[in-house]
Amino acid sequence: MPKVAVLTGAGISAESGIPTFRGKDGLWKRFKPEELATPEAFFRNPKLVWEWYDYRRQLIARAEPNEGHKILARMERELPDFTLITQNVDGLHQKAGSEKVIELHGNIWKVRCLSCGAEYYDYRAPLPEIPPRCKHCGGLVRPGVVWFGEPLPPEALEQAFNAARESDYFIVVGTSAVVYPAAQLPFVAKEYGATVIEVNPEETPVTRIADLSLREKASTGLKKVYEMLKEHAQG
Ligand code: NAD
Ligand code: ZN
């Protein structure tokens, strides 16, 4: 049985109506990341940053997983050795039924208290008060996501790199592959002998090392990948 690892980015949620960052209609076209997704921005203006997150949380709360998320959940159930790594913070993989998701950039529903350190999920959208306050101590909380300039959670990172090194197939879906270290994963997989498959309507830096590039949306592209893997598994 082949070992399969998948890396997803914002593009997998595009068909659920959640804007990507860098593609056409990307969020960063209207907002500057350095003004919003950095620790400096947060300490300068927690209210502004929280308003942006509250807006995204409301969008995500209304969104449903699409066929792409669902096929990946099915792969997890059917393939004995399967790893799903995501850069997304929207939780739609879990909503589609994926049980083991390596979240490299955190989760938009998580909050972390800057006073007492408590970390918990808060699914309220819209938030009743901005910025929100810690439910334990009343301190200022921040979104439980990784911002520009911050380190990634070490355990998730280690699991992701192990999966990349061990995989027979490494599938890259809907990521512009420019945000490091996540963008490194397909290159590591390739170096360690994996067959790299890319699903993205646009070319990315991964395209030139991919063994197969499907210039397609996640839903249709992943369906083809699923059929291929099934054939491989049946020998
Ligand atoms: P990105 O915006 O940089 O790139 C999105 C990619 O998806 C582009 O290459 C685009 O061509 C492709 N794409 C667009 N529609 C697609 C579709 N229907 N099917 C497949 N691919 C499609 O996103 P990224 O590479 O994930 O950027 C990294 C950062 O953006 C991460 O830190 C992530 O946390 C953050 N982000 C997350 C979300 C989310 O959780 N949904 C949304 C926006 C950004
Ligand atoms: Zn607290």
Side-chain angles (χ1 to χ4, degrees), residues 7-10 21-22 28 37 53 56 84-91 94 101-110 112 119 121 142-157 160-161 174-185:
L7 172 68
T8 66
F21 280 177
R22 289 175 191 78
W28 294 137
Y53 277 92
R56 290 177 57 202
L84 178 57
I85 307 157
T86 190
Q87 300 170 83
N88 293 350
V89 297
D90 58 30
Q94 291 89 333
V101 185
I102 300 174
E103 293 183 317
L104 290 177
H105 295 160
N107 190 297
I108 202 163
W109 299 111
K110 225 188 244 175
R112 188 159 76 241
E119 204 170 44
Y121 286 89
R142 59 162 282 175
V145 300
V146 177
W147 283 327
F148 290 102
E150 293 187 315
L152 273 59
E155 199 187 329
L157 200 58
F161 274 90
T175 174
S176 56
V178 294
V179 177
Y180 280 81
Q184 225 178 315
L185 290 164

Side-chain angles (χ1 to χ4, degrees), residues 78 111 113 116 166 181 190:
E78 295 179 4
V111 299
C113 178
C116 76
E166 288 167 11
K190 178 80 179 178

Side-chain angles (χ1 to χ4, degrees), residues 12-224:
I12 187 125
S13 296
E15 290 167 82
S16 295
I18 299 172
T20 59
F21 280 177
R22 289 175 191 78
K24 282 181 256 137
D25 309 320
L27 277 174
W28 294 137
K29 292 276 185 301
R30 282 173 294 146
F31 300 98
K32 290 197 184 121
E34 62 272 20
E35 283 172 13
L36 296 166
T38 69
E40 292 77 20
F42 185 74
F43 288 111
R44 199 161 46 226
N45 194 342
K47 189 164 180 284
L48 173 71
V49 171
W50 263 116
E51 275 165 0
W52 186 54
Y53 277 92
D54 191 47
Y55 162 75
R56 290 177 57 202
R57 284 160 58 107
Q58 292 180 53
L59 264 180
I60 291 167
R62 286 195 294 269
E64 291 298 332
N66 63 58
E67 281 310 307
H69 297 107
K70 288 179 195 165
I71 291 171
L72 293 175
R74 192 188 308 162
M75 284 187 196
E76 181 187 86
R77 288 194 297 272
E78 295 179 4
L79 298 170
D81 201 319
F82 179 84
T83 306
L84 178 57
I85 307 157
T86 190
Q87 300 170 83
N88 293 350
V89 297
D90 58 30
L92 286 181
H93 284 304
Q94 291 89 333
K95 203 169 175 183
S98 289
E99 288 180 6
K100 285 177 294 173
V101 185
I102 300 174
E103 293 183 317
L104 290 177
H105 295 160
N107 190 297
I108 202 163
W109 299 111
K110 225 188 244 175
V111 299
R112 188 159 76 241
C113 178
L114 297 172
S115 301
C116 76
E119 204 170 44
Y120 56 93
Y121 286 89
D122 182 342
Y123 291 99
R124 294 174 300 169
L127 286 160
E129 178 196 16
I130 290 181
R133 296 277 155 189
C134 174
K135 69 173 180 185
H136 302 290
C137 77
L140 180 64
V141 298
R142 59 162 282 175
V145 300
V146 177
W147 283 327
F148 290 102
E150 293 187 315
L152 273 59
E155 199 187 329
L157 200 58
E158 193 187 326
Q159 289 173 350
F161 274 90
N162 284 341
R165 281 189 288 265
E166 288 167 11
S167 62
D168 299 309
Y169 287 97
F170 194 86
I171 300 154
V172 190
V173 190
T175 174
S176 56
V178 294
V179 177
Y180 280 81
Q184 225 178 315
L185 290 164
F187 294 88
V188 169
K190 178 80 179 178
E191 197 182 314
Y192 279 75
T195 297
V196 174
I197 302 175
E198 180 181 51
V199 180
N200 196 316
E202 291 174 34
E203 281 192 16
T204 77
V206 172
T207 308
R208 72 190 153 77
I209 63 140
D211 296 277
L212 174 65
S213 258
L214 300 173
R215 288 279 83 76
E216 292 195 38
K217 289 183 172 182
S219 56
T220 57
L222 279 175
K223 205 165 172 191
K224 288 183 186 164

